[in-house]
Amino acid sequence: MTNALQSSAPFFDRLVHFWANHFAVSVDKILIVGLAGAFEADAIRPHIMGRFEDLLTAAITHPAMLLYLDQAQSIGPNSRMGQRRTQGQPGARGLNENLAREILELHTLGVQGGYTQHDVTELARALTGWTLPSDAPDRTDSSTVRFVPALHEPGPRQLLDRRYPDSGADQARAILHDLALAPATARHIAHKLARHFVADEPPPALVGRLAAEFERTGGDLPAVYRVLIEAPESWRAPSSKFKTPFDWIVSSLRALGTTEIPAQRAVNLMNQLGQPIWRPGSPAGFDDQSAAWAGPDSLMRRVEMAQRLAMQFARQVDARERAPMVLRETLGRDTAQAIARAESASTALALMLVSPEFLRR
């Protein structure tokens, strides 16, 4: 949160937040507690201005992802280790399809991407061997990841009508390469970017242009971002995107002139607002649509939080002066009048923070 508050390039930090949610991991699994921060710092942040394939590979092979989706425990049934474990060892670990399923459904092709259960199983087999040394969960760098041939399911793989020879570690890399460049992946990523930045139901023409640029450039992310930034649909007012709790608390603190927040307070604020840090609840990440955050309970939490913040900052911030600076041309007459007529400075500030204009971006 401090990065978002202090950033001189807020679009960059919003992209970090977007991609960290796209490749979601959760500290609800105890092994991820010490790795979630490193995942964002090592796998996400360094790659969001490069190729999607590199971002995909970095996220998929990071210890946090391998542990979160149980890939570190996946063993090819016909691998050397798999054969050894099945001899006299009932209940021995075998093939785990969690990571393979989420790569296809969430990270690349999307739920309508045309893959089958056979493709999930074949990708899971190709991913076997990618694991961590036994001491890796206590470390936070991606160098702990390694490929262990004895765990790898032998044989060629047939995935989405393509055949991949048994090339050890390179088998999964070749599949990830093709998935990163697939037209379905381009459409899936384009739709998610447009939904995040523009509207819950993004304009089909914009999604089409983003997908076309993704395909044309082989997944060059800055080129795709450029199309998004230059699109007239991205700047049409009023904005229809309802702020998530993270968006709202960051924009509230920035509006109040705060650029620093203690880590534990940030954790507490996000817990109270219903979007706990690094705890999305599922590999799908936090919902990016208004319906998830605009319900009565969620709004009441923001009202209560706005009142507490207003009590703290009312002496330093005059809402009547700050609202035109923060909301600019979106400030409506009703909101301006409500702020001006508020019975106290803190009430006026709270009204600004929960006004319809401030709740959207």
Side-chain angles (χ1 to χ4, degrees), residues 18 27 40 80 85 87 92 97-98 107 145 151 170 174 209 221 277 287 303 318 325-326 336:
F18 169 83
V27 297
E40 185 174 304
R80 295 198 303 273
R85 283 178 173 270
Q87 296 175 5
E97 297 183 352
N98 290 351
H107 303 151
V145 173
L151 301 176
D170 290 335
R209 297 200 304 275
L221 294 176
I277 295 175
D287 203 313
V303 170
D318 186 334
M325 297 170 56
V326 172

Side-chain angles (χ1 to χ4, degrees), residues 107-234:
H107 303 151
T108 60
L109 304 178
V111 68
Q112 302 297 328
Y115 64 90
T116 66
Q117 175 57 41
H118 171 80
D119 297 319
V120 173
T121 302
E122 284 290 85
L123 178 55
R125 289 167 176 159
L127 288 167
T128 52
W130 286 106
T131 188
L132 289 79
S134 59
D135 64 340
D138 297 325
R139 300 173 60 186
T140 59
D141 61 281
S142 57
S143 65
T144 57
V145 173
R146 63 174 181 173
F147 180 78
V148 180
L151 301 176
H152 183 65
E153 179 72 3
R157 307 270 73 88
Q158 190 76 23
L159 188 81
L160 296 167
D161 298 324
R162 294 191 181 184
R163 187 177 186 276
Y164 298 88
D166 187 357
S167 53
D170 290 335
Q171 188 177 63
R173 290 195 185 101
I175 296 174
L176 291 178
H177 171 78
D178 287 345
L179 289 174
L181 298 179
T185 297
R187 292 191 297 271
H188 181 55
I189 298 302
H191 187 273
K192 288 195 70 172
L193 280 168
R195 188 179 68 190
H196 178 83
F197 284 96
V198 180
D200 288 354
E201 296 295 333
L206 174 59
V207 174
R209 297 200 304 275
L210 292 171
E213 186 68 5
F214 189 105
E215 286 194 69
R216 187 188 71 81
T217 62
D220 181 74
L221 294 176
V224 177
Y225 305 151
R226 191 172 298 112
V227 172
L228 179 67
I229 293 170
E230 294 176 352
E233 297 95 328
S234 299

Side-chain angles (χ1 to χ4, degrees), residues 1-2 249 253 261-272 275 277:
M1 187 175 290
T2 299
I249 196 62
L253 293 174
I261 182 171
Q264 189 56 53
R265 189 183 182 203
V267 170
N268 292 338
L269 288 176
M270 294 307 298
N271 286 343
Q272 293 167 33
Q275 192 181 14
I277 295 175

Side-chain angles (χ1 to χ4, degrees), residues 68-91:
Y68 178 52
L69 293 177
D70 304 312
Q71 180 60 35
Q73 300 180 20
S74 186
I75 299 174
N78 298 305
S79 67
R80 295 198 303 273
M81 187 64 72
Q83 291 293 312
R84 188 179 308 167
R85 283 178 173 270
T86 55
Q87 296 175 5
Q89 295 189 33

Side-chain angles (χ1 to χ4, degrees), residues 24 36 41 77 97 150 156 276 283 330 360:
E97 297 183 352
T330 65
R360 295 185 179 274

